[in-house]
Amino acid sequence: MNEDRQIHPLVPREGWHVMHLFYHIDHGQWALLSGEERREAKTNLTELVGEIRATPDTHLLAFSIATPKADLGFMLLTPDLQVANQYEKQLSLSLGPDILTPVYSYLSQTESSEYTTTREQYAEETLVAGKGLSPGSHEYESALAEFDERMAGYIRHRLYPVLPDWPAICFYPMSKRRSGTDNWYSLPFEERKKLMAGHARTGRTYSGRILQLITGSTGLDEHEWGVTLLAKDTIDIKSIVYEMRFDEVSARFAEFGDFYIGMQLPLDLLFRRLCL
Ligand code: 76R
């Protein structure tokens, strides 16, 4: 028998794996622990979070969930699914058996977009047709260099994001409709691209107020994308989602799963918030 016990890493060719994990706390079980056992449990979770956050290319957001839909949430980003799986199992057990009960979870991957504006497109449509610049001119070249730099940063953010500690986090899964004349997947690429450009225009008006991370989940989970929005004011979450509903991409094609709202907190405050 092959006794090769090496675990084969599952690192995508590009991007990282992403897990959204939501738990209920069983306060009945927690009440059975002694003060010493509770301290140990919290130390255990704190050490695990520290270990995860010290892992290269790995990020862990921890938050308290608003409303009894869930109590505690984590968003884990890491390249290797084997590592994500190991951390996820450890997180579930970190406060001891039967304390954390998973209530919802979502698996996705960071991805670049097929609708991103290409260099050629930007040059032709924006610089030549839009601004009347001639190729080769100083202005044209410097605008193009600026575009290259902005896009490199943008693509890096989509594939290898570092998320800010903004207090409000919103997560929901979504899919594009596939019914009758509203089948996103039977539209030609050019039409989808045009529709997505409208979507992006709306999105960009929230720059600095909403940080959005769209992660792909076709073949990985129930819906097609996970939507993660970070904000400093919940009104920006409410208004971007409302405004997007009027945008054709969402109005005609979007289908949504459950919404979760959380608050990112340092661990000591998180424990206090969760009455642990
Ligand atoms: O400029 C670019 O090239 C990128 C533009 C862009 C893409 C490709 C973009 C911009 N999004 C893209 C893709 Mn988005 N987004 C959502 C939601 O609630 C709803 O109705 C929809 C949920 C929000 C709130 C949002 C916000 N986006 C996608 C995709 C993948 C589509 C596909 O591949 O078919 C989905 C599912 C999706 C959904 N989007 C933006 C935003 C915001 C705020 C922006 C501007 C980001 C910025 O420029 O900083």
Side-chain angles (χ1 to χ4, degrees), residues 121-242:
Q121 210 185 348
Y122 183 74
E124 278 165 36
E125 292 169 15
T126 307
L127 299 184
V128 178
K131 296 189 175 168
L133 300 181
S134 16
S137 69
H138 175 70
E139 264 183 304
Y140 174 94
E141 293 303 333
S142 73
L144 207 51
E146 216 172 274
F147 172 83
D148 287 342
E149 200 183 314
R150 184 158 49 83
M151 288 318 278
Y154 175 75
I155 289 164
R156 200 177 333 108
H157 164 75
R158 280 200 67 139
L159 286 173
Y160 309 105
V162 178
L163 300 172
D165 62 354
W166 293 1
I169 176 165
C170 170
F171 173 77
Y172 54 99
M174 70 170 281
S175 297
K176 295 273 173 71
R177 191 162 293 133
R178 285 177 285 126
S179 65
T181 51
D182 291 341
N183 187 333
W184 177 257
Y185 295 90
S186 60
L187 295 183
F189 176 75
E190 283 311 319
E191 195 173 337
R192 281 181 281 129
K193 188 166 168 103
K194 207 167 117 219
L195 287 166
M196 284 307 293
H199 164 90
R201 260 193 307 279
T202 305
R204 276 196 289 270
T205 63
Y206 286 83
S207 173
R209 290 183 289 150
I210 291 285
L211 190 138
Q212 129 274 24
L213 182 67
I214 304 300
T215 49
S217 51
T218 41
L220 301 178
D221 218 321
E222 306 300 321
H223 290 76
E224 295 163 357
W225 290 276
V227 179
T228 304
L229 306 175
L230 292 174
K232 294 173 214 155
D233 186 336
T234 48
I235 209 159
D236 291 323
I237 293 174
K238 183 166 146 307
S239 67
I240 192 174
V241 175
Y242 180 71

Side-chain angles (χ1 to χ4, degrees), residues 64 67 154 205 273-274:
S64 171
T67 84
Y154 175 75
T205 63
R273 176 69 55 84
L274 298 171

Side-chain angles (χ1 to χ4, degrees), residues 2 65 90 92 100 103 114 126 159 189 212 222 232 271:
N2 183 0
I65 304 287
Q90 288 177 317
S92 297
L100 295 182
V103 287
E114 62 194 294
T126 307
L159 286 173
F189 176 75
Q212 129 274 24
E222 306 300 321
K232 294 173 214 155
F271 289 141

Side-chain angles (χ1 to χ4, degrees), residues 47-63:
E47 284 176 359
L48 177 60
V49 167
E51 183 192 329
I52 295 173
R53 288 182 173 158
T55 307
D57 293 335
T58 299
H59 304 281
L60 182 73
L61 279 58
F63 37 92

